[in-house]
Amino acid sequence: MDDPEHEDAREAALEGEYNPTEVEAKWQERWVEAETYAYEGAADPNTAYAIDTPPPTVSGSLHMGHLYGHTLQDFAARFQRMANGEVLFPFGYDDNGIASERLTEEDLDIRHQEYERREFQRLCREVCAEYEAEFTEQMQGLGTSIDWSHTYKTIEPRVQRISQLSFLDLYEKGREYRKNAPAIWCPECETAISQVETEDDERDAHFNDIAFELTGNAPREEFVISTTRPELIPACVSVFIHPDDDANQDLIGETARVPIFGHEVPIIADDRVDTEKGSGVVMCCTFGDRNDIEWYHAHDLPLRVAIDETATMTDLAGDYEGLSTAEARTEIVEDLESEGHLRDRREIVHAVGVHERCDTPVEYRVSKQWYIEILDHKQEYLDAGAEMEWYPEKMFSRYRHWIEGLEWDWLISRQRDSGIPFPVWYCTDCDHPVMAEREDLPVDPLSDEPPVDACPKCGGESFEPEEDVFDTWATSSLTPLINAGWDWDEESGEFRMEHPELYPFDLRPQGHDIISFWLFHTIVKCYEHTGEVPFDATMINGHVLDENREKMSKSEGNVVDPAEVMDEYPIDAIRFWAASAAVGDDFPYQDQDIVAGEKLIRKLWNASKLVDDLAPADPDEPEELEAIDRWLLAELDAAVADLTDHLESYEFAKARNRLRTFFWNTFCDDYLEIAKTREDSASTGYALRRAHRTFLTLWAPFLPHVTEEIWQALYASEGELAETSLHTGKWPSPQGYDADLAAGETAMEVVSALRRYKSERQLPLNADLERVAVYGPIEGFEGVIRDVMHVSELEALEDPPEITTEVAAIDLDYSKVGPEYGSKVGEIDAGIESGEYEVRDGTLRVAGEELGSELFEVERERTYSGDGEMVETESAVVVVSE
RNA sequence: GGGCUCGUGGUCUAGCUGGUCAUGACGCGGCCUUUACAAGGCCGAGGUCGGUGGUUCGAACCCGCCCGAGCCCA
């Protein structure tokens, strides 16, 4: 396998049984080696088809979602490459965020706090590189037509530069700001974490009912709030009442005094109060939970920080300063009780947010964060989404609802070690931000100097570097710009793209779970930078469920490992399964579908061997094709047209099923059996080869390995693989064959009927039939029927055989009768049912009405009284005499 | 709790701008060596189209409610 000479020595060959293990590995290797799928550039944006592929997060190995998603993309890429020319099918890794840090910590069993930032980043790169190499190998094992010379990693310097350029551009456009805001914080790990790193956990706790006094001329003296976190009362900034809470209406607008600490807070109405819980009166602290944060934003409340980054009470907590939150809770409850403010205390179990890794309940801490302003451009982003084609269309509503529900701007700063740094320093004296120069990017403010000696605002001469890094989505939302080679051109003073013909991209494929993340954020960024919608179309794929239609989850232990599936089945068969679901629908992993794919591959292989046996290698097209051959090629034309339509609309399941039915039933079961009897026909020889070549190209996007193997064995010309590969060849177009389709169809019906006849009598299919008479349109196909069914004498009847008929039933055409007779239809039905009707001169008299012949059909039961056996088909009557 | 989506023979699915007999595959039963394929061919059995109420002459399809599942947001 290492020796390419040896490789070439065993060229593709159509002998014996198909060996997918060997053949698939061979072509995967040769495709990559020959750079078969390299994007070679195109001058015209209309001929370049570009896919903005999802960069997988490096978090271990390939899962079924990767396999499925990339296979769908590959269907599109392979079809477009054959049909329209140049295709960019790139690949990237998202290795710059929290996921890669956590992977590193787990893999090396370390904590990032134990290392210098640079050192930890280095470890991250090393660990990620290992996982990426393994992942790449698995991806190549999928046989996708990715251009492996066109890849990126989100942590690489080129992408860091693009991320920082994006930040500077949006800042200059006035679309970014920095302000104090709360973030989820783990006091154990001493770091901000994202919401996806938290989970709910049931914990024992106490509900404490605490009395607050009212100030001034209040309607009553006090009220009671319930809380599980009494240590937060020094951080209390307001009290909330539900606007519909009749019992407490009188409190709205009053001022409350916080017990022990004595500060005064307003009482405000807000419908986010849960009236079912406790007394219906809630205190808002900065910050106890996510609701507090919403209220803080909505009512512009002051900030009182009573807990620091290590979960220790601050000076705001007065006498309790320096205690842990747990200690403070105990002491504050005791003091409330002794001062008479504690009215009740009871045990409860409730859900608290904890850090999924250390199970520590999270806090909400305030720090200065960078935001991208998006709320003021909601309409633009909605319009941008509406401009794209959505496959399936229904997914647009998810995007729309997400945008309509947006309440906060996009927080892009993260307090992490291994992301892409903000290219910003702050003046130590006045906090004025100093941005890096574009030509210097990428920069790391922690090690690089700011581009100025003095603060342009106050003249101060010392600067603090920004320590935060970008949110992962802030970078992965730039993938179209990364793939198109977006950069700042110093000379012209504007942004340029290395491959402007790729942008906007033709397709954005992704799962339905990240419409609100990847797709939305990409539209925000690209729209703001370029003023254009970044995609013509988006294809939203569903999720792969387990064989019982349950979601795959590690804790349930029902995760299917693609490596095992790929070990057991040919990739082409797995791809056949991947094409079984309508795009957008969730669908189960079922190996019966993969087995069906295996059977198809075998069928294609065996049929190819037969075609090669029956037909000369490269026959010329005869002057005139015989009816049966012209019929096949006309049907093939129709299949080509249908398939092209389906693939252009990303309807892979429809394309797959259409092609399978035509190939298996029409070509193999019907035509090939006929072709066996016509080996010396130049017409059939030509049609066989024409159809066979076409089938290989039509199957190529779905079954790239087996089709390439057969193609190379039979049809490829001499030369480099990148030129001779089936996959860089042309997609077929209908050739305009004209045939009597009805006659062909009827002939096939007659053949089926004769097969049924033999089958029912337990005769072998090649048993001889003495005499067969056919009444029906089979002109030009008589000989074909005779030969394939071993009929000694076949007669085409001019007139119907001697049959007696009697009316068996009346079939109404309800689509016409309904609108015309409305509620009378019931009576008409009843009349026919009971036999109280009459058919005369093409008119049906029933229930006092006269129905014209266009409204009904008379179904007759035929009885054959002549010699032999009568068999009926849809459009013919067949009489068999043995 | 809110939004979106899905629910068709044992399993997976097509059909869903309403019009008699609901498509195909896998599985199951029976029969058969057509010049490749028995891992093939032919035939057959198997469905109250999640439940319920409504609109209509007529509903798998349109509308309401309920049940179950998935995703996103709280």
Side-chain angles (χ1 to χ4, degrees):
Chain A
M1 291 291 272
D2 296 331
D3 181 3
E5 299 280 318
H6 176 67
E7 181 87 1
D8 285 338
R10 37 178 201 81
E11 273 295 350
L14 275 194
E15 279 165 20
E17 299 207 340
Y18 179 61
N19 180 344
T21 313
E22 203 176 290
V23 168
E24 292 187 341
K26 173 179 74 182
W27 289 113
Q28 285 164 12
E29 218 170 288
R30 295 189 58 181
W31 288 331
V32 172
E33 204 174 278
E35 299 197 345
T36 314
Y37 308 118
Y39 174 68
E40 285 167 355
D44 182 356
N46 293 322
T47 61
Y49 181 87
I51 306 177
D52 183 42
T53 56
T57 305
V58 181
S59 56
S61 50
L62 194 79
H63 57 65
M64 290 307 282
H66 295 129
L67 185 157
Y68 177 53
H70 282 93
T71 300
L72 287 190
Q73 293 154 37
D74 195 48
F75 293 152
R78 287 187 184 276
F79 164 68
Q80 292 287 346
R81 189 178 294 110
M82 295 173 87
N84 297 322
E86 281 301 319
V87 165
L88 173 70
F89 187 9
F91 191 73
Y93 282 110
D94 190 11
D95 49 9
N96 99 64
I98 292 163
S100 60
E101 289 189 21
R102 289 169 49 75
L103 176 72
T104 303
E105 289 180 324
E106 275 164 32
D107 193 69
L108 302 177
D109 194 22
I110 57 173
R111 293 179 57 178
H112 69 95
Q113 293 94 329
E114 296 160 1
Y115 292 84
E116 291 272 281
R117 185 160 168 177
R118 284 274 165 153
E119 178 65 6
F120 183 68
Q121 287 178 354
R122 193 181 59 76
L123 292 171
C124 283
R125 311 283 151 83
E126 281 176 17
V127 169
C128 286
E130 276 174 40
Y131 277 86
E132 282 162 6
E134 197 181 310
F135 199 102
T136 299
E137 212 165 284
Q138 286 187 294
M139 280 301 300
Q140 292 180 344
L142 290 181
T144 51
S145 60
I146 285 169
D147 176 0
W148 292 103
S149 64
H150 210 119
T151 63
Y152 64 89
K153 298 176 180 188
T154 55
I155 201 68
E156 74 185 37
R158 180 174 74 94
V159 176
Q160 294 213 14
R161 177 175 162 83
I162 292 172
S163 291
Q164 292 183 338
L165 280 171
S166 163
F167 174 79
L168 293 186
D169 189 44
L170 293 184
Y171 183 74
E172 281 177 16
K173 290 187 157 112
R175 303 215 49 79
E176 284 167 335
Y177 61 90
R178 185 175 179 239
K179 83 171 210 186
N180 254 331
I184 304 172
W185 185 267
C186 175
E188 170 68 20
C189 305
E190 290 182 38
T191 176
I193 56 175
S194 74
Q195 204 209 324
V196 295
E197 292 171 279
T198 67
E199 56 188 26
D200 285 342
D201 197 19
E202 298 277 304
R203 293 291 167 96
D204 293 329
H206 289 88
F207 239 140
N208 302 280
D209 289 352
I210 300 168
F212 280 45
E213 290 170 5
L214 290 162
T215 64
N217 286 334
R220 49 172 142 148
E221 288 207 344
E222 61 167 44
F223 61 89
V224 174
I225 63 111
S226 299
T227 181
T228 55
R229 300 203 55 193
E231 74 276 16
L232 276 168
I233 62 171
C236 178
V237 291
S238 66
V239 169
F240 281 96
I241 309 282
H242 198 282
D244 302 334
D245 182 356
D246 295 335
N248 295 304
Q249 280 297 306
D250 56 328
L251 295 175
I252 295 168
E254 298 294 332
T255 300
R257 183 178 294 116
V258 177
I260 300 180
F261 298 91
H263 61 281
E264 294 179 3
V265 298
I267 303 175
I268 304 169
D270 192 296
D271 60 11
R272 278 164 281 202
V273 173
D274 182 357
T275 51
E276 303 294 304
K277 235 191 240 172
S279 60
V281 186
V282 186
M283 72 168 178
C284 170
C285 311
T286 52
F287 295 99
D289 59 26
R290 299 178 63 83
N291 224 10
D292 290 345
I293 297 171
E294 279 193 36
W295 280 330
Y296 167 78
H297 282 291
H299 298 280
D300 201 19
L301 296 167
L303 190 63
R304 290 178 65 90
V305 178
I307 297 171
D308 77 3
E309 65 273 16
T310 61
T312 304
M313 305 306 290
T314 66
D315 57 351
L316 252 186
D319 295 344
Y320 307 96
E321 182 181 357
L323 297 181
S324 73
T325 49
E327 291 162 351
R329 182 178 309 163
T330 311
E331 294 206 5
I332 286 175
V333 169
E334 279 172 15
D335 293 346
L336 284 168
E337 182 155 31
S338 62
E339 289 181 29
H341 296 294
L342 187 69
R343 295 299 151 82
D344 191 22
R345 179 172 163 83
R346 55 197 183 277
E347 286 187 2
I348 58 156
V349 176
H350 72 151
V352 294
V354 301
H355 188 191
E356 63 176 339
R357 198 151 55 102
C358 63
D359 287 337
T360 308
V362 298
E363 298 285 352
Y364 296 88
R365 281 200 72 231
V366 164
S367 49
K368 279 213 163 174
Q369 309 279 353
W370 280 97
Y371 288 85
I372 294 180
E373 193 167 7
I374 53 175
L375 296 179
D376 61 332
H377 280 186
K378 277 161 86 162
Q379 191 58 45
E380 278 96 322
Y381 304 147
L382 200 52
D383 293 345
E387 251 181 67
M388 299 188 297
E389 297 289 331
W390 289 74
Y391 299 98
E393 214 179 325
K394 65 190 177 190
M395 288 295 173
F396 175 63
S397 57
R398 294 206 188 187
Y399 178 83
R400 182 161 53 83
H401 283 99
W402 163 256
I403 291 190
E404 286 169 354
L406 280 175
E407 286 176 2
W408 292 9
D409 282 332
W410 177 11
L411 168 70
I412 54 166
S413 44
R414 293 288 184 274
Q415 297 74 51
R416 308 294 301 188
D417 281 324
S418 122
I420 298 175
F422 281 74
V424 188
W425 296 259
Y426 305 102
C427 171
T428 314
D429 296 331
C430 70
D431 205 32
H432 179 73
V434 172
M435 300 288 153
E437 293 292 332
R438 285 188 170 112
E439 63 209 44
D440 296 334
L441 301 181
V443 301
D444 184 351
L446 288 179
S447 51
D448 296 326
E449 291 298 318
V452 294
D453 294 326
C455 172
K457 194 175 172 195
C458 74
E461 288 181 4
S462 71
F463 298 91
E464 302 276 345
E466 170 63 72
E467 293 186 6
D468 287 357
V469 297
F470 293 130
D471 169 22
T472 316
W473 297 109
T475 296
S476 55
S477 56
L478 294 166
T479 50
L481 301 180
I482 295 166
N483 282 319
W486 187 69
D487 202 352
W488 177 258
D489 184 41
E490 243 357 281
E491 268 177 45
S492 63
E494 58 185 15
F495 285 101
R496 286 278 178 82
M497 289 186 198
E498 190 187 342
H499 290 293
E501 79 281 5
L502 296 175
Y503 191 92
F505 278 60
D506 293 82
L507 183 68
R508 156 55 72 90
Q510 56 162 72
H512 56 58
D513 52 332
I514 51 172
I515 291 173
S516 53
F517 289 95
W518 195 36
L519 182 62
F520 171 68
H521 289 142
T522 308
I523 290 175
V524 169
K525 283 261 190 153
C526 294
Y527 178 79
E528 296 297 346
H529 288 308
T530 69
E532 280 185 277
V533 183
F535 311 110
D536 294 339
T538 182
M539 171 174 75
I540 308 292
N541 66 269
H543 284 182
V544 181
L545 308 173
D546 79 356
E547 63 271 24
N548 301 315
R549 283 200 146 273
E550 305 273 328
K551 182 191 167 188
M552 289 188 192
S553 91
K554 277 184 194 151
S555 53
E556 293 294 320
N558 62 346
V559 175
V560 176
D561 181 0
E564 285 173 23
V565 179
M566 290 161 72
D567 230 31
E568 194 171 347
Y569 298 107
I571 289 295
D572 283 343
I574 298 170
R575 294 169 64 96
F576 188 76
W577 157 78
S580 70
V583 167
D585 285 356
D586 290 348
F587 74 121
Y589 168 80
Q590 293 255 123
D591 43 22
Q592 63 174 42
D593 253 326
I594 303 183
V595 170
E598 259 185 311
K599 289 186 177 183
L600 174 68
I601 294 168
R602 207 172 293 125
K603 192 78 177 174
L604 180 57
W605 179 261
N606 287 320
S608 298
K609 285 203 297 188
L610 180 61
V611 168
D612 200 36
D613 269 359
L614 294 175
D618 192 12
D620 290 329
E621 180 159 13
E623 292 274 309
E624 193 152 340
L625 287 166
E626 291 175 51
I628 179 69
D629 305 313
R630 219 169 52 237
W631 170 76
L632 177 79
L633 294 179
E635 291 286 356
L636 184 64
D637 271 357
V640 167
D642 286 351
L643 230 60
T644 306
D645 285 350
H646 288 148
L647 289 173
E648 274 171 356
S649 330
Y650 305 99
E651 293 173 326
F652 305 123
K654 283 184 185 172
R656 178 194 98 142
N657 295 337
R658 172 75 169 91
L659 183 54
R660 186 192 178 280
T661 302
F662 180 58
F663 169 70
W664 199 305
N665 301 121
T666 305
F667 183 69
C668 292
D669 292 346
D670 293 340
Y671 186 77
L672 278 183
E673 290 307 330
I674 291 166
K676 284 174 184 174
T677 66
R678 300 169 52 80
E679 208 170 345
D680 47 5
S681 158
S683 171
T684 294
Y686 176 79
L688 274 173
R689 285 295 179 186
R690 173 89 258 140
H692 186 244
R693 282 170 173 264
T694 307
F695 276 121
L696 290 179
T697 56
L698 295 176
W699 277 123
F702 295 102
L703 314 171
H705 304 83
V706 67
T707 51
E708 181 81 302
E709 176 76 4
I710 298 168
W711 181 264
Q712 294 289 336
L714 298 183
Y715 304 125
S717 46
E718 294 289 313
E720 295 293 317
L721 182 59
E723 306 301 320
T724 67
S725 171
L726 170 63
H727 302 294
T728 53
K730 271 250 161 279
W731 184 257
S733 53
Q735 299 295 301
Y737 285 103
D738 192 24
D740 187 343
L741 294 180
E745 188 57 38
T746 307
M748 295 312 132
E749 278 174 24
V750 171
V751 169
S752 290
L754 294 175
R755 279 193 195 131
R756 204 177 314 132
Y757 176 89
K758 292 182 180 180
S759 182
E760 278 164 5
R761 282 156 188 75
Q762 304 189 8
L763 295 167
L765 285 168
N766 61 353
D768 288 333
L769 293 177
E770 192 64 30
R771 196 186 121 79
V772 171
V774 179
Y775 173 67
I778 52 162
E779 204 185 340
F781 293 84
E782 298 89 344
V784 162
I785 297 169
R786 192 182 58 226
D787 292 345
V788 76
M789 290 321 293
H790 298 89
V791 177
S792 307
E793 194 185 327
L794 185 117
E795 187 188 359
L797 298 173
E798 295 282 321
D799 303 302
E802 308 158 28
I803 48 180
T804 56
T805 63
E806 61 186 277
V807 175
I810 302 289
D811 286 338
L812 294 177
D813 183 346
Y814 286 93
S815 64
K816 293 190 183 119
V817 176
E820 199 169 329
Y821 291 93
S823 54
K824 197 85 203 257
V825 173
E827 281 177 57
I828 295 172
D829 274 337
I832 293 171
E833 183 74 23
S834 61
E836 291 163 22
Y837 66 89
E838 191 184 11
V839 181
R840 201 170 356 131
D841 303 330
T843 303
L844 173 67
R845 292 163 207 273
V846 63
E849 301 288 345
E850 292 193 11
L851 279 64
S853 59
E854 74 283 2
L855 297 179
F856 69 98
E857 252 178 66
V858 179
E859 197 175 297
R860 290 170 196 280
E861 200 159 283
R862 302 177 216 251
T863 315
Y864 180 62
S865 48
D867 294 334
E869 190 86 14
M870 186 187 72
V871 188
E872 284 186 89
T873 76
E874 187 84 18
S875 38
V877 179
V878 182
V879 179
V880 186
S881 323
E882 280 184 63

